[in-house]
Structures are given as C-alpha cells and as structure tokens.
Amino acid sequence: MNRQTWRGLTLALMLGASAGALATTACAQPPASAPAAKPWLDPKLDADTRADLAVKAMTQDEKFTVIFGYFGADMAPKYKRITQALPGSAGYVKGVPRLGIPEQFETDAGIGVATQGGEPNKRERTALPSGMATTATWNPELAYQGGAMIGAEARSSGFNVMLAGGVNLVREPRNGRNFEYGGEDPWLAGKMVGAQIKGIQSNSIVSTIKHYALNNQETGRFVLDAKIGEAAMRTSDLMAFQFAMEDSDPHSVMCAYNRINGHYACENDFLLNKVLKQDWGFKNYVMSDWGAVHSSAKAVNAGLDQQSAGEAFDKQNFLREPLRDALAKGEVSQARIDDMARRVLRGLFASGVVEKPVKIEAIDYAAHAKVTRADAEEGVVLLKNDKGLLPLVAGARKIAVIGGHADVGVLSGGGSSQVYPIGGRAVQGEGPATWPGPMIYFPSSPLKALKARLPGVDIQFIDGKDKAAAAKLAAASDVVLVFATQWNGEAFDSPLTLENNQDALIDAVVAANGKTVVVLQTGGPILMPWLSKVGAVVEAWYPGSAGGEAIARVLTGEVDASGRLPVTFPASLDQLPRPVLDGDPKTPDALFAVDYTIEGAAVGYKWFDLKGHQPLFAFGHGLSYTTFAYENLKAETLGGALTVSFEVRNTGKRTGKAVPQVYVSPKDAKAIGGWEAPQRLAGFKKVELAPGATTKVSLTVDPRLLATWNEKAHGWSVAAGDYTVTLGASSRDTAAKAQVAVAAQSLPVGLMKP
C-alpha cells in the first residue's frame, strides 16, 4: 500500500469508516480499459449488455452473493454487524472481486447520510430539511440541488447506495413518516422526489425510490392490508411513483412492509411483476425494506431481487439456503435467479459506480450548508399574517422568543433517516433515548440568527415550561415568537396535536399579547385551536442543518416567504376519510385491513373538494411578503397536447416568489365521468419577480392528468369534451378560469420519458 493510499485510509477512519471495509475501496482504481476476458467492464457498452455478459461469467455462488444484504450496525444481543460493512450503516452487499463487481455500501438517506445503531458510530453530516419541507418549496431545481449535495456526501463517506426517494402520498396525515415524503398530490410528489433522486444519482451512485407501495401509516406497518381498487391505485399512489421514476430512472426500487389486497408488498406479483417490471419496463432491481421479506419462492417469483439485511431483520435468510432449496425443488427457475443477479448488476453498471468506485474524501460542509439553507428558506410557509406582524419591523424594540429550544437549535424527525449534526446535538435528554430516537435538535439557533439580524433590538428567550413566566415576558414585549414543535418519527403515528401542553402555552401567551407569531416545526399538518387568536403562523417543518438561519431570514424579511403547502391541513379529525386511525400500536402483530376504497384516488385536497370540507389551510396555500396578480390565462390543444399560458405580475412593493398553480377538471363531470374528485393539480411553476415586474409562464399538461384508467384497454383514456383550466394561488384560491376542448385520446401504460 503506497503512502497516498494510507493517507486516504487514515482520513476514512477519521470520518467514521473501518479500515477493513475501506481498504479495498481505497486501493481500487477505475478500469482504464476492459480486458478482453472481462468485456462487461467496458464503459462504452450499455448497461444491459454489460449485465448480460457479467451474469454469463458468474458462478452460482456469485449470483447468490449479490442478491443478499447484511445490516451495517450492531443490534445487541441479536446481531453483530458484518465486519466489511461501514459501521453504523444501513447495509452491505458483498461484491464479486473476480469479476470487478464492487461491494454495495448502503446508507439511509432521505435528508442526508444517516447513522444507524446510535451515537458510538455516528457520522456528523449535512442534513437537508425534511422531504415535506423540500416539497413545500415547489421548486424541483432546489430538490435536485439538495439531492446532488447529499449524494456527494454519501459518496465521500464511502457509500454507493442511498436509500432515499420517499414518494408515499399523505393518505393518512397522522403517519409518523410523512415528513420523509413528498406530500399528497401525485404530480407534485413525483416531480419533487424525482428531482431529488436524479440529483443523488448525478454522483454515480444508486438511489432507491420507496416505499413501494401504499405504505401510508406506521401503526401496523408490518402487517396491515391496504385495500384499494386497481384504478384508484394507479391514479394516486402508483401515479406518484410513475412520475418520479420517469424523471429520475432510479436504479433500485424498495418494496414496502405492508400488504396490498392480501399480499405483502415484497411478494406482490401485481405490484412488482405486472406494474413495475412489465407495464413500466423497470430494468433495475427491487430490494426489500429491512424486515419486509416473508418467503423465498413466492417473493422471488413475484419480483423481489434482493433481500436487505436479512440476518438482522427477517425471520429467515430467505434468499440464501431457502432459495437454493426452492431452486432444487423446481419452485424457482434458474432463469429467475439469473434475472435477479442481472438486475442488481444492471443497476450498478447504470449508476457508474463500477467505473467510479467510492472513496473517503473531505467534504465541503460550508458550501453544503448554503444548499440546505436555501432549501429550508423556500420551504417555510407563511400560513397567516393578518396583523402584518411579519416580516419583523424595525419598530419592535423588544421581542420575546418562547419555547422550542429556539435558543440552541431546530428539530429533526426520528428513525432510520436521522442525520447526526455537525457539532453535536443541541439538546440532550429529551425524547426517547433509543430508536426511533434519540430526539435530535440541529445546532442552528433561530435566537442567535435573529439577534444577528436585529441589532439594537432587545430579544429575550424563555423556554416556555412555565406558562405564567412566558405570559409575563410576552406582556412586556412588542412582538412574541412562540416556537412550537411536534416530533414525528418512524414506527409510530402522531395525533395532529402539539405535545407537552404547547397549545395551552400559546393560549397563555396570546392572552397576554395579541401580537404573537407561532413558528411551527412539525412533520406535517397539526390542528390549531388557537389559530383565530394569534397574529401570524409560520410552518417551518423540520428545517435541517441550517434551519435556524433560514427561519430568521424569513421572519426578518431578508428573503421572501415563498413556501406553499404540499398537504392539506384539516380543521378536525372528523374531516378525514378515517377519523379513527386503524390498528392498535399495542398489538403490532395483529393482522388488520385499512379500507382505502373510502377515498380511492381522492387523496388530500381531492377528498376535501369531493366532500365539500373547509380545511384549516388548503393544499397549495402560502402567503408572501408581496402580492401577485395572475392574468391572461389561455388554454389550447396543440398536437393533442393541452398547453396553458398566463402572466404573473408582482403588484407589491418588494421582490418575491410566486407559485402559480394550474388545476384541471371536466366541465361536465357527469358527461365525462370517472374522475375521483372535482379537480386535479396539472402544473405549477415557481417564479421570482421584482416589484412591478411581469413574466409569462407556459406549461404543458401531462395528458394522464386528464385521463382515467381503462382496465379493458389496460391503459389511460382521455374522454373527449370540454375541460376547465383553473389558475390560482392554491387549490381553493382561484384567480382565473378558461375552457378548452380536448379530443379523445388513448395513452399507453408504460413510463413516458420527459
């Protein structure tokens, strides 16, 4: 080993990797040219050809090697991590050195390079805002940049597989993992999550898309049976996956824990074979979620290609000896084993990781902090500003900051996606000490950031645990900022209420001073019994590593408030399709069903529109520090495609960012029929405008957003007729309407590349 390689390994150890795991990686070099004996290493060949050639050269043992994964963290006393895995990692799959096939080093994922197994193995890395926060930017370019950033940190940390790309729709607003996902609308979620996956894979590493499919609540997540019809499924959750995959070409799909119509997702022939591989033509591999495999022959024949962390989480190593036995009995064909190995290899060849082995490198955290801060800023949603309290004005000489540990940091969501912050945890001893904890606050203080931006203003902090003391400080202040938090995480669902008596704290504070701003850090929607009393409400979500700076920049008007809701905030639980959450967390192994036929494809705002419910805050809602006019709406069909154009004008006195939204609906719903709800989101565009400036926006509507699923034709059908195009600032805030005649059209079931 030369001196340069040794120095690389030394840096690897400092960054949290093991010498044993990384010695091969550090010494590996991309093949200059493929030797004649190993033509699959020729990067000039396409991924399919290379995978075919490599599989032909593999022994049976080598094929079985690449379809089975190990967990990368200790689980005392049950499991000791395999030594080749990076410590505290999500997983590891052995490579085939004889053929030049690299090991797979896997990391969770959605907001950055996570650490499993607790603090002894923690990596301190940059965290993006939550997936919900990123989607609230309505800015796919930011989602791409964030994905590229965390993908770069994954590569520089020694990982070549990132378990990112959560696109499950918010069917259940109490779902503890909603913060990881892309909201409630298939077009918005697909475009935003697809952009992030594309950004991750720009680093020549694999990204998954997950959790496929209908993984919409944590209570009973291992056993629940999601009941839903095919048309409804294809028009909602599957459509979100389809849109995201079209934009990103993920190199792996992760199948979910739950059952769908009686069959577990990782042994669901309809999902994996019929839809994913046949209808959509997916060429790469399906990996299981950790603990989601229940069989050998059934799972493999249904389309599962790789078992993840089997020894640690599944009841058996189903894709090892049990699969060999099934092969010997003729329950599984050799052709299927070859196909499994081929798909895994194709994903590796398609990613470029074979030519560009990962290695430990230094990370530019300062540059990455700017990326996550920009994401957090544009995701902050100004929900209410009736009294004009925001942006904070220079006339306020005394400001009270109350609660939420705002003096030291910002909250993050819990579970497998948890990123450990650079500089250590800002708060110790709060929340559960073990998984899905610990509860982590990133050391980015909103209080400090506010003080830096408001020199000369007397800003005082109190933790809010004593309501009387908080009310006293509020009464003596010009403006009050209450930071309220709700911690969500994997493995549990949350009521739509603030914990630790924070509603009572807000009531006490606003009773003392009506000039109260509530700054929320939550994973998704919450109920707000105090809404009518407070002057302003800001939804900051889980804002990531630079969240304190981002919140302060929005509150002070250094940047515009430009986030928009990717999810409906209900006014009460009674408005939900299932007011009572199905399942009992006290009996996690008891089988039960969740009836998604109630709403079908009418998820989120579509359900509220269908039932005529008035939400607390509508999908797409968000205020700005300026005002906008939406004008000159035109809709026409050109070459069979519906195109929409309009103008956006900044009518206010400062620069701001608008998010015009386009919705479509059949003019005569009874005549056309088949729609799940009165309207569907069909397009959006985020635009920045100076005061008085105008810009023209043109959008082409994906024809499937006008279509219904035609089971007989096994494809999409657009009914001829007149359609209404609605332009507005949210699903309920309408600025203009236009009518357009659309011809009948049949569309294929497969992926449509942009």
Side-chain angles (χ1 to χ4, degrees):
M1 184 179 297
N2 61 34
R3 180 174 295 180
Q4 184 177 4
T5 300
W6 173 250
R7 285 163 58 186
L9 276 178
T10 302
L11 178 60
L13 287 167
M14 292 172 61
L15 293 176
S18 68
L22 287 162
T24 302
T25 304
C27 296
Q29 296 294 329
S33 60
K38 298 179 180 178
W40 53 87
L41 296 182
D42 184 354
K44 296 178 182 178
L45 298 176
D46 63 77
D48 292 295
T49 301
R50 297 174 71 183
D52 287 338
L53 291 169
V55 169
K56 290 178 181 177
M58 296 178 87
T59 66
Q60 188 78 320
D61 286 345
E62 289 167 343
K63 294 171 186 175
F64 274 82
T65 294
V66 300
I67 64 173
F68 186 84
Y70 303 82
F71 192 44
D74 294 333
M75 294 175 62
K78 175 184 176 183
Y79 178 79
K80 182 73 175 176
R81 76 173 178 89
I82 188 170
T83 57
Q84 297 98 314
L86 303 186
S89 67
Y92 169 80
V93 180
K94 294 179 180 180
V96 185
R98 182 181 72 87
L99 302 179
I101 305 302
E103 301 156 289
Q104 296 168 54
F105 297 97
E106 301 170 323
T107 179
D108 274 302
I111 63 169
V113 179
T115 300
Q116 308 303 325
E119 305 230 17
N121 297 311
K122 71 174 181 287
R123 294 171 183 79
E124 296 185 352
R125 297 292 185 267
T126 307
L128 288 170
S130 64
M132 187 76 78
T134 295
T135 305
T137 70
W138 291 62
N139 188 340
E141 188 175 317
L142 275 182
Y144 176 88
Q145 292 170 1
M149 183 273 284
I150 63 173
E153 289 203 3
R155 168 170 277 280
S156 294
S157 303
F159 294 104
N160 54 17
V161 179
M162 205 165 200
L163 310 175
V167 74
N168 299 90
L169 295 184
V170 182
R171 280 185 175 272
E172 174 49 71
R174 291 162 291 198
N175 179 10
R177 295 189 80 175
N178 280 337
F179 73 92
E180 298 185 39
Y181 303 145
E184 67 189 23
D185 179 79
W187 180 250
L188 178 64
K191 301 306 286 187
M192 295 298 295
V193 177
Q196 186 193 49
I197 294 171
K198 189 174 181 179
I200 291 171
Q201 293 192 156
S202 70
N203 294 281
S204 297
I205 63 175
V206 172
S207 177
T208 67
I209 188 170
K210 64 183 186 184
H211 303 89
Y212 186 71
L214 278 297
N215 185 194
N216 301 117
Q217 69 177 55
E218 291 297 281
T219 301
R221 63 177 177 159
F222 293 107
V223 296
L224 73 84
D225 189 8
K227 298 293 188 181
I228 189 169
E230 180 178 352
M233 194 182 341
R234 286 189 183 264
T235 314
S236 55
D237 299 71
L238 295 188
M239 181 172 274
F241 275 92
Q242 188 168 4
F243 287 148
M245 292 177 67
E246 288 172 347
D247 282 357
S248 63
D249 186 23
H251 299 139
S252 181
V253 169
M254 182 189 294
C255 50
Y257 290 128
N258 52 284
R259 296 176 292 155
I260 300 95
N261 295 328
H263 301 279
Y264 283 104
C266 290
E267 52 184 39
N268 195 299
D269 180 70
F270 173 78
L271 278 185
L272 303 183
N273 281 335
K274 290 185 171 59
V275 175
L276 181 66
K277 293 182 177 181
Q278 294 174 17
D279 289 349
W280 296 350
F282 181 66
K283 295 183 178 181
N284 299 312
Y285 65 109
V286 176
M287 69 164 69
S288 70
D289 203 343
W290 276 227
V293 184
H294 298 269
S295 62
S296 296
K298 182 176 181 180
V300 165
N301 288 332
L304 179 66
D305 300 309
Q306 187 182 78
Q307 183 178 9
S308 305
E311 289 184 333
F313 290 94
D314 291 316
K315 292 182 179 179
Q316 295 184 50
N317 297 327
F318 288 105
L319 268 57
R320 291 176 69 181
E321 291 309 316
L323 181 57
R324 290 179 184 266
D325 292 342
L327 177 64
K329 295 176 183 177
E331 296 171 351
V332 175
S333 69
Q334 181 62 48
R336 178 67 185 110
I337 301 298
D338 293 349
D339 178 58
M340 294 164 68
R342 181 192 178 282
R343 287 176 173 275
V344 174
L345 296 187
R346 190 196 185 280
L348 297 180
F349 286 128
S351 71
V353 74
V354 177
E355 286 71 55
K356 299 177 183 178
V358 291
K359 58 182 179 179
I360 299 295
E361 293 182 322
I363 296 171
D364 189 344
Y365 292 116
H368 290 179
K370 294 178 181 178
V371 175
T372 187
R373 192 192 73 188
D375 191 339
E377 288 169 2
E378 290 205 21
V380 172
V381 183
L382 180 58
L383 295 174
K384 177 182 178 180
N385 196 22
D386 288 352
K387 298 182 180 180
L389 296 182
L390 297 177
L392 295 171
V393 296
R397 306 315 302 162
K398 186 171 183 180
I399 298 176
V401 176
I402 300 173
H405 297 292
D407 57 328
V408 292
V410 291
L411 185 61
S412 67
S416 59
S417 65
Q418 181 66 67
V419 174
Y420 281 78
I422 300 162
R425 295 163 59 187
V427 177
Q428 298 284 343
E430 187 160 321
T434 58
W435 196 91
M439 182 185 293
I440 290 182
Y441 282 77
F442 296 137
S444 178
S445 165
L447 178 67
K448 292 178 182 178
L450 285 167
K451 286 184 174 181
R453 284 162 176 79
L454 298 171
V457 178
D458 181 10
I459 304 178
Q460 297 186 25
F461 174 80
I462 193 169
D463 63 18
K465 294 179 180 178
D466 183 333
K467 294 194 296 293
K472 183 178 180 180
L473 177 61
S477 302
D478 297 319
V479 179
V480 185
L481 305 176
V482 179
F483 282 74
T485 62
Q486 183 196 53
W487 186 66
N488 290 345
E490 187 172 355
F492 67 95
D493 294 316
S494 298
L496 303 185
T497 53
L498 296 174
E499 57 235 342
N500 300 325
N501 213 24
Q502 291 178 90
D503 286 332
L505 170 64
I506 295 170
D507 277 332
V509 168
V510 74
N513 190 336
K515 294 183 177 180
T516 294
V517 179
V518 178
V519 181
L520 297 167
Q521 293 172 70
T522 70
I526 63 161
L527 303 175
M528 303 181 196
W530 34 259
L531 178 62
S532 63
K533 306 172 189 176
V534 301
V537 182
V538 172
E539 177 60 80
W541 316 103
Y542 301 144
S545 291
E549 288 282 317
I551 290 171
R553 279 165 58 85
V554 174
L555 292 179
T556 59
E558 192 171 334
V559 295
D560 187 30
S562 67
R564 303 294 185 262
L565 289 182
V567 60
T568 302
F569 277 46
S572 68
L573 294 179
D574 291 339
Q575 294 181 330
L576 303 181
R578 286 162 297 281
V580 177
L581 189 71
D582 289 302
D584 183 354
K586 296 179 182 179
T587 57
D589 297 326
L591 301 181
F592 67 96
V594 180
D595 186 7
Y596 290 136
T597 65
I598 295 172
E599 74 272 27
V603 177
Y605 69 93
K606 297 177 181 178
W607 170 260
F608 279 72
D609 290 348
L610 183 67
K611 296 299 179 179
H613 295 322
Q614 182 61 42
L616 195 65
F617 292 107
F619 173 82
H621 170 74
L623 305 175
S624 172
Y625 292 144
T626 187
T627 54
F628 301 97
Y630 303 103
E631 303 166 322
N632 298 321
L633 173 64
K634 296 179 181 178
E636 57 184 340
T637 53
L638 298 172
L642 172 58
T643 62
V644 179
S645 65
F646 52 88
E647 292 178 348
V648 183
R649 180 164 51 93
N650 185 341
T651 57
K653 297 180 179 180
R654 58 169 291 164
T655 297
K657 295 180 179 179
V659 185
Q661 301 158 39
V662 172
Y663 295 83
V664 292
S665 56
K667 184 179 179 181
D668 187 347
K670 293 182 179 179
I672 292 177
W675 280 45
E676 72 280 5
Q679 63 176 353
R680 298 169 176 169
L681 178 70
F684 61 91
K685 178 72 174 180
K686 195 163 201 175
V687 294
E688 183 173 17
L689 292 170
T694 299
T695 188
K696 184 176 181 179
V697 177
S698 296
L699 302 171
T700 300
V701 175
D702 189 297
R704 289 165 295 185
L705 295 173
L706 298 168
T708 55
W709 176 251
N710 187 327
E711 189 171 350
K712 182 179 293 186
H714 197 69
W716 299 99
S717 293
V718 178
D722 292 331
Y723 289 76
T724 301
V725 175
T726 302
L727 172 65
S730 80
S731 63
R732 294 290 178 96
D733 186 353
T734 300
K737 292 179 180 288
Q739 307 298 324
V740 62
V742 174
Q745 189 176 4
S746 296
L747 303 164
V749 66
L751 299 185
M752 296 169 60
K753 297 300 180 180

